[in-house]
């Protein structure tokens, strides 16, 4: 009998394309490694940041595999002794090419797990390694926002991974079921995906525990254990709104699955209803939430990631500790944010629009914001003009491969007839330079 292979290893993506739903991170990683290959590294190191089981380590290996690099993994004890680090810094560049590798990538998994007190000097050693290294360095971290990691963050390009959505996890689980030849009921997979809280590793482990050796997996076979990170947004908000102390409110930000980008619209939508009885409470909570947004803007602009704790505290404790906080029922009634609902509804059309903007941006050599500010309204106008609409819509359909309906939706015009008869008298079209 063959030895049991953990499915998380068996199904670990080997190629970037197999890593699900981390497109932005993949692009940032590729840009970075390309800059190394051109001899001008944008940064010596990147730091992949994301909650457990979102694919940080997997991404690092998939990148190396795809680009032909050998991975040299470092851990805390290497840092403690410093020996291996010195070897690597001092190590010869020729080593890599011996086995047909293009070079090496140094991987430092879970740098935030370094016990700074115990590994005194450890962080400094990594910073030094980054500065001196002739190899690209990838670090991974769950939560590197503690000020003690600041120097390390400053040395690296921080690449944020997203927690995986239930649908992404379902896709991964279905693929495994197919591969293993197990008929997995959709309900069973949903149960596992739900419980995973965005942690693919947990989901795959649960699936293996429930399904291995079976021909069919039903809902009854699945026993998912409660996990700390199984805090969904309702529970997070409930905790924040009920918090009486700073630490209590802030504690949600330490949950591995805490997703601040998602939290924001949830808080925004629920403050007015939860604090409905006190105008001061609503006002304070909104003030603090908007301040957190200002801090976020600053982080995005200047990459001052050490401001992150302030942002998180403002959006949690800032919402909890307000003047005249009204008494809340034991379970506050919380609602799903309108913005997320709307975004989901308009997702398809936003994607079409983004693709069009991107295309025009490249063709016209202008920025995306210029395209959406000036060119899209112009196209919309043209699409409602008898003279231009037929030709314009047809061209857009051809260039973008969209259906007529999609083109109309993208431009926000409806019911336009492109059948052509008697319309769009081309003779009257003014000549445009360059077509
Ligand atoms: N985005 C993804 N697409 C496909 N599989 C994934 C993805 N993320 C994680 N996995 C699966 O989950 C397992 C764990 O992922 P990985 O070790 O990369 O997580 P991690 O983010 O490094 O987590 P940790 O911080 O706990 O180390 C992988 O073996 C892989 O099978």
């Amino acid at each position: 009998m063959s030895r049991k292979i953990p499915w998380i290893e068996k199904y670990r993506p080997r190629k970037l394309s197999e890593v699900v739903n981390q497109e932005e991170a993949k692009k940032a990683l590729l840009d970075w490694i390309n800059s190394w290959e051109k001899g001008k590294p944008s940064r010596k190191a990147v730091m992949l940041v994301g909650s457990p089981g979102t694919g940080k380590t997997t991404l690092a290996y998939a990148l190396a595999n795809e680009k032909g690099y050998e991975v040299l993994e470092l851990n805390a004890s290497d840092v403690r002794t410093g020996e291996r680090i010195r070897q690597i810094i001092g190590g010869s560049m020729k080593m890599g090419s011996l086995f047909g590798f293009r070079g090496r990538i140094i991987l430092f998994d879970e740098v935030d797990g370094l016990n700074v007190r115990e590994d005194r000097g450890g962080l400094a050693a990594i910073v030094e390694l980054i500065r001196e290294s002739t190899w690209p360095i990838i670090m991974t971290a769950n939560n590197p926002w503690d000020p003690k990691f600041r120097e390390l963050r400053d040395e690296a390009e921080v690449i944020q991974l997203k927690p995986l959505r239930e649908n992404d996890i379902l896709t991964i689980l279905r693929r495994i079921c197919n591969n293993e030849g197990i008929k997995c009921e959709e309900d069973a997979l949903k149960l596992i995906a739900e419980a995973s809280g965005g942690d693919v590793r947990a989901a795959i482990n649960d699936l293996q525990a429930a399904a291995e050796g079976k021909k069919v997996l039903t809902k009854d076979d699945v026993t998912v254990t409660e996990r700390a990170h199984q805090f969904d947004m309702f529970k997070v908000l409930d905790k924040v709104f009920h918090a009486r102390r700073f630490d209590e409110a802030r504690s949600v930000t330490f949950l591995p699955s805490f997703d601040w980008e998602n939290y924001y619209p949830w808080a925004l939508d629920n403050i007015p209803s939860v604090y409905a009885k006190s105008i001061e409470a609503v006002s304070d909570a909104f003030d603090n939430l908007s301040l957190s947004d200002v801090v976020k803007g600053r982080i995005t602009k200047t990459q001052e990631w050490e401001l992150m704790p302030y942002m998180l505290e403002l959006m949690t404790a800032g919402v909890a500790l307000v003047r005249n906080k009204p008494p809340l029922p034991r379970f506050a009634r919380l609602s799903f944010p309108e913005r997320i609902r709307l975004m989901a509804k308009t997702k398809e059309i936003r994607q079409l629009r983004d693709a069009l903007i991107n295309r025009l941006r490249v063709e016209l050599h202008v920025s995306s914001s210029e395209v959406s500010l000036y060119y899209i309204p112009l196209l919309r106008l043209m699409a409602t003009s008898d003279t231009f609409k037929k030709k314009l819509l047809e061209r857009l359909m051809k260039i973008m491969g969209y259906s007529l309906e999609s083109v109309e939706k993208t431009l926000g015009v409806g019911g336009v007839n492109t059948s052509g008869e008697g319309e769009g008298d081309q003779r009257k079209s003014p000549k445009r330079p360059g077509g």
Side-chain angles (χ1 to χ4, degrees), residues 117-134:
R117 203 173 311 148
E118 205 178 291
D119 304 309
R120 203 186 292 271
L123 281 179
I126 305 179
V127 171
E128 193 189 340
L129 167 69
I130 296 175
R131 290 189 183 144
E132 311 260 317
S133 175
T134 44

Side-chain angles (χ1 to χ4, degrees), residues 13 79 110 112 179 217 261 276 377 381:
V79 174
E110 299 181 10
D112 52 335
N179 241 294
L217 178 79
E261 281 177 308
L381 202 66

Side-chain angles (χ1 to χ4, degrees), residues 92-335:
S92 86
M93 308 243 318
K94 288 165 233 121
M95 288 279 285
S97 55
L98 263 180
F99 304 100
F101 291 112
R102 171 181 274 173
R104 289 167 165 177
I105 286 180
I106 297 170
L107 173 64
F108 204 117
D109 228 352
E110 299 181 10
V111 269
D112 52 335
L114 260 186
N115 183 333
V116 178
R117 203 173 311 148
E118 205 178 291
D119 304 309
R120 203 186 292 271
L123 281 179
I126 305 179
V127 171
E128 193 189 340
L129 167 69
I130 296 175
R131 290 189 183 144
E132 311 260 317
S133 175
T134 44
W135 305 115
I137 298 175
I138 300 181
M139 297 178 277
T140 75
N142 288 325
N143 184 5
W145 309 121
D146 192 297
K148 64 187 180 219
F149 296 117
R150 177 185 163 181
E151 212 185 341
L152 204 53
R153 288 197 312 263
D154 284 351
E155 285 299 322
E157 179 180 339
V158 174
I159 300 179
Q160 182 88 38
L161 272 73
K162 291 184 285 188
L164 267 79
R165 291 168 311 200
E166 224 172 282
N167 260 341
D168 303 324
I169 296 186
L170 275 175
T171 311
I172 295 171
L173 296 182
R174 276 191 215 113
R175 201 160 60 196
I176 297 179
C177 290
N178 282 341
N179 241 294
E180 294 287 321
I182 304 169
K183 211 170 152 303
C184 296
E185 278 181 6
E186 195 64 15
D187 278 355
L189 297 187
K190 271 204 177 122
L191 204 63
I192 296 176
E194 254 167 44
S196 72
D199 178 342
V200 187
R201 180 189 293 107
I204 297 179
N205 280 337
D206 282 345
L207 179 68
Q208 183 168 15
E212 194 169 32
K214 294 202 173 75
K215 293 245 171 308
V216 182
L217 178 79
T218 67
K219 208 173 162 188
D220 296 337
D221 298 321
V222 178
T223 40
V224 280
T225 36
E226 269 279 323
R227 294 202 174 77
H229 61 243
Q230 214 180 308
F231 251 67
D232 59 26
M233 205 46 89
F234 285 100
K235 290 192 200 139
V236 166
L237 273 189
D238 196 69
K239 190 162 170 118
V240 169
F241 282 122
H242 279 94
R244 295 259 151 220
R245 285 177 300 107
F246 184 93
D247 288 353
E248 217 180 316
R250 188 184 52 172
S251 68
V252 298
T253 67
F254 299 131
L255 292 166
S257 65
F258 182 71
D259 173 359
W260 51 268
E261 281 177 308
N262 210 358
Y263 169 89
Y264 189 91
W266 275 86
L268 193 67
D269 265 34
N270 283 289
I271 287 169
S273 54
V274 174
Y275 288 159
K277 293 202 176 106
S278 160
I279 189 78
E280 288 94 345
V282 173
S283 158
D284 285 359
F286 273 152
D287 264 355
N288 290 330
L289 197 63
S290 74
L291 264 179
S292 81
D293 198 38
V294 172
V295 178
K296 180 184 150 218
R298 175 149 185 163
I299 295 175
T300 318
K301 212 161 160 182
T302 63
Q303 297 289 303
E304 288 172 87
W305 289 95
E306 63 274 21
L307 298 177
M308 188 91 172
Y310 300 109
M311 182 193 87
L312 295 176
E313 284 160 13
L314 278 165
M315 59 169 53
T316 51
V319 168
L321 308 181
V322 289
R323 278 175 302 158
N324 281 342
K325 187 164 172 166
L328 303 178
R330 186 150 152 54
F331 296 105
R333 274 174 82 84
L334 299 166
S335 57

Side-chain angles (χ1 to χ4, degrees), residues 8 12-13 19-20 52-58 110 142 172 200-201:
I8 50 160
R12 190 188 277 280
V19 178
V20 174
T54 46
K56 300 180 291 291
T57 316
T58 305
E110 299 181 10
N142 288 325
I172 295 171
V200 187
R201 180 189 293 107

